[in-house]
Amino acid sequence: MNILILGSGGREHTLAHQISKSPNCGALFVAPGNAGTLSCATNLDVDILNFEEVGQCILANDIQLLVVGPEAPLVEGIKDYFEDKPEFSTLKIIGPSKQGALLEGSKERAKEFMKAHQVPTAAYQSFNKHNLDAGKSFLAKMQAPFVLKADGLAGGKGVLILDDLKAAQDELENMLTNQKFGKASEKVVVEEFLDGIELSVFVLTDGKNYLTLPNAKDYKRIGEGDTGLNTGGMGAISPVPFADQAFMEKVDQKIVKPSIDGLHKENIDFTGFLFIGLMKVGDEPFVVEYNVRMGDPETEVVIPRIKNDLLDILNKTANGNIQDITLDVDTQHAATVMLVSGGYPEAYEKEKVISGLDAIQNSNDIFVCHAGTKLKNDQVVTNGGRVIAVTGFGNHFQSALEKAYTQIETIDFDNMYFRKDLGKDLV
Ligand code: AMP
Ligand code: GLY
């Protein structure tokens, strides 16, 4: 079958790499893709938010399976767009409907959904500019630190955690009346601070049944020791050492099952990945957020640990036969380290030549994946903040990390930066 993956990051390169290994993979396309996806697929120069253009590609290349990588096209309703059109009646899509995607597209909706289905999460209230004063009083009754979340998509920047009450009240006003995060902060969720350790759980669902994929922990901050600005993710490990079987059973019963049952009860078309960000507080899991796609860089450590044919898994999911899959997960640990452009997550330069990639052989120990690259005059150059994800595999996350760090010594570009302390918090 012919497949089209939408996106251009490490997530999409990893998905393309794994799908391309399937005996049932026909022509594989990535739109727009990167220099790495060229090694296993054909890149298509398409604006993934222009659904008409995506549709033309699907028809021209006889695509049977569309895998949507990032959240934006899902929140914009790409699934609904194709489902309404008879010429796409046989197209299968991995990704939820617009209504399903609201679990990521609106923090308020996500909280209401959790409340309705008794999924443990931080206590909250949401506010708009008309009840700003009530929001300030609500904050005054809470204890520091104060958590403010812009309701809509804000590129991972819409959450503020503040220690000072006055600062929190001022920021709430700034978000609601000055639209600090544009339309995304027309509404703001104010919630209780959860004091614990974070991890992520990934579920593949057809909206009724589900498969829980390997879990992962990512490193969000730019600086060593988890300091500095938030990024899309500076690295990740899988499995998570502090998520033992008893805890994961709790996650299944208290979080995953009620979430999927909730989708089913509400009759929401949700065929795809549900990424559940969790806080482990003591021994109890609480949901911090839902995402309606795989994480990046979590994909780089989660997907390679799945030994099944990925295309077969996605096909069965799209056909509503997820119950026929028995997941075969590698006991090997995976750890990925992201190489980023100097300056990221603020301003950074692009088009720096990347050296050392040609000599690398992906193996059972190493997978080097492109996150933000392109080809220019036959050279691979940087094309984003996050540039390359180097994943190592080993019997323990420490040996997996060692392999990644050793491989990194062979790669270079101007102003390359990466965190050297991954995993140290877990020892
Ligand atoms: P979110 O976009 O909702 O995942 O929030 C971004 C980050 O803010 C999370 O990954 C957490 O590190 C932190 N965060 C969000 N909500 C809370 C909370 N209620 N308590 C503590 N930390 C939080
Ligand atoms: N690494 C976090 C995310 O993909 O949202």
Side-chain angles (χ1 to χ4, degrees):
M1 74 188 315
N2 296 346
I3 303 124
L4 171 61
I5 302 172
L6 300 185
S8 62
R11 167 180 49 214
E12 289 76 23
H13 185 188
T14 306
L15 291 172
H17 179 79
Q18 295 298 113
I19 288 174
S20 71
K21 293 185 198 168
S22 168
N24 294 317
C25 179
L28 177 61
F29 301 89
V30 186
N34 60 38
T37 56
L38 286 170
S39 65
C40 53
T42 304
N43 287 353
L44 299 173
D45 186 15
V46 170
D47 172 3
I48 62 171
L49 290 173
N50 182 336
F51 300 158
E52 211 181 303
E53 219 182 294
V54 176
Q56 282 160 7
C57 272
I58 288 170
L59 295 175
N61 296 295
D62 194 18
I63 302 294
Q64 284 104 39
L65 181 70
L66 176 67
V67 181
V68 185
E71 62 279 14
L74 295 165
V75 172
E76 291 297 317
I78 192 166
K79 176 86 175 274
D80 311 60
Y81 175 89
F82 288 119
E83 272 184 356
D84 287 346
K85 302 203 163 29
E87 63 270 40
F88 298 103
S89 60
T90 57
L91 177 71
K92 301 282 181 209
I93 302 178
I94 293 293
S97 61
K98 189 169 184 166
Q99 202 195 0
L102 262 188
L103 287 185
E104 178 164 0
S106 164
K107 301 270 188 204
E108 183 186 48
R109 159 66 179 147
K111 296 295 283 192
E112 283 168 357
F113 178 87
M114 289 181 241
K115 201 168 153 190
H117 302 289
Q118 282 103 44
V119 177
T121 187
Y124 80 103
Q125 272 193 41
S126 65
F127 300 95
N128 57 41
K129 67 178 175 195
H130 303 296
N131 59 4
L132 171 63
D133 288 339
K136 289 185 178 177
S137 312
F138 183 70
L139 278 167
K141 283 186 237 134
M142 296 180 90
Q143 300 216 327
F146 305 96
V147 183
L148 307 180
K149 297 186 169 183
D151 177 59
L153 292 183
K157 298 195 175 77
V159 175
L160 301 180
I161 300 181
L162 300 155
D163 288 319
D164 180 68
L165 174 62
K166 173 77 173 54
Q169 289 171 327
D170 288 349
E171 283 293 1
L172 180 67
E173 178 158 355
N174 207 3
M175 286 166 95
L176 291 176
T177 58
N178 301 331
Q179 304 213 347
K180 176 175 176 139
F181 298 105
K183 249 184 101 57
S185 64
E186 272 178 357
K187 281 192 243 171
V188 172
V189 168
V190 177
E191 70 177 36
E192 169 198 23
F193 180 79
L194 297 169
D195 193 4
I197 182 159
E198 280 185 85
L199 72 152
S200 300
V201 170
F202 303 89
V203 179
L204 191 59
T205 180
D206 52 19
K208 191 166 154 219
N209 294 305
Y210 64 91
L211 272 182
T212 302
L213 308 180
N215 55 30
K217 171 179 164 48
D218 80 335
Y219 289 84
K220 289 200 169 76
R221 303 292 197 91
I222 188 73
E224 314 233 320
D226 267 322
T227 53
L229 293 174
N230 255 324
T231 70
M234 296 296 291
I237 59 164
S238 175
V240 180
F242 56 82
D244 59 19
Q245 201 184 337
F247 178 73
M248 288 309 294
E249 271 164 26
K250 232 182 238 180
V251 169
D252 184 58
Q253 286 308 308
K254 295 189 173 180
I255 309 269
V256 181
K257 195 166 183 312
S259 299
I260 303 300
D261 287 349
L263 290 172
H264 188 54
K265 275 186 210 146
E266 293 191 24
N267 214 1
I268 293 173
D269 170 6
F270 201 113
T271 303
F273 294 101
L274 182 66
F275 158 175
I276 311 179
L278 295 177
M279 191 73 81
K280 181 175 186 244
V281 183
D283 253 337
E284 289 301 316
F286 291 83
V287 175
V288 172
E289 65 166 348
Y290 289 118
N291 295 306
V292 299
R293 52 172 172 91
M294 278 303 291
D296 197 350
E298 292 90 337
T299 302
E300 286 89 309
V301 290
V302 169
I303 295 293
R305 293 188 58 232
I306 298 173
K307 295 206 271 186
N308 309 55
D309 178 329
L310 182 61
L311 181 57
D312 181 55
I313 292 186
L314 296 179
N315 250 326
K316 288 196 168 115
T317 304
N319 288 325
N321 296 326
I322 213 164
Q323 70 283 357
D324 295 346
I325 305 166
T326 308
L327 209 59
D328 184 9
V329 174
D330 201 330
T331 53
Q332 291 269 85
H333 294 227
T336 197
V337 182
M338 195 59 87
L339 309 182
V340 308
S341 301
Y344 173 79
E346 297 186 283
Y348 54 83
E349 289 179 37
K350 288 187 187 176
E351 304 206 349
K352 306 283 186 194
V353 174
I354 307 169
S355 65
L357 295 177
D358 284 346
I360 296 171
Q361 290 283 329
N362 285 327
S363 66
N364 290 336
D365 287 326
I366 282 291
F367 174 54
V368 175
C369 146
H370 292 224
T373 67
K374 67 175 184 185
L375 271 190
K376 190 182 176 199
N377 306 327
D378 286 337
Q379 282 185 307
V380 180
V381 300
T382 67
N383 190 36
R386 296 190 295 169
V387 177
I388 298 276
V390 180
T391 306
F393 302 91
N395 293 329
H396 191 266
F397 72 85
Q398 285 159 307
S399 55
L401 276 166
E402 265 168 42
K403 287 183 200 167
Y405 282 123
T406 303
Q407 186 66 66
I408 288 170
E409 289 169 16
T410 70
I411 306 172
D412 195 28
F413 56 88
D414 236 19
N415 274 329
M416 179 175 106
Y417 169 78
F418 58 96
R419 273 181 63 172
K420 299 181 183 68
D421 67 330
L422 302 192
K424 289 201 175 139
D425 54 327
L426 301 170
V427 182

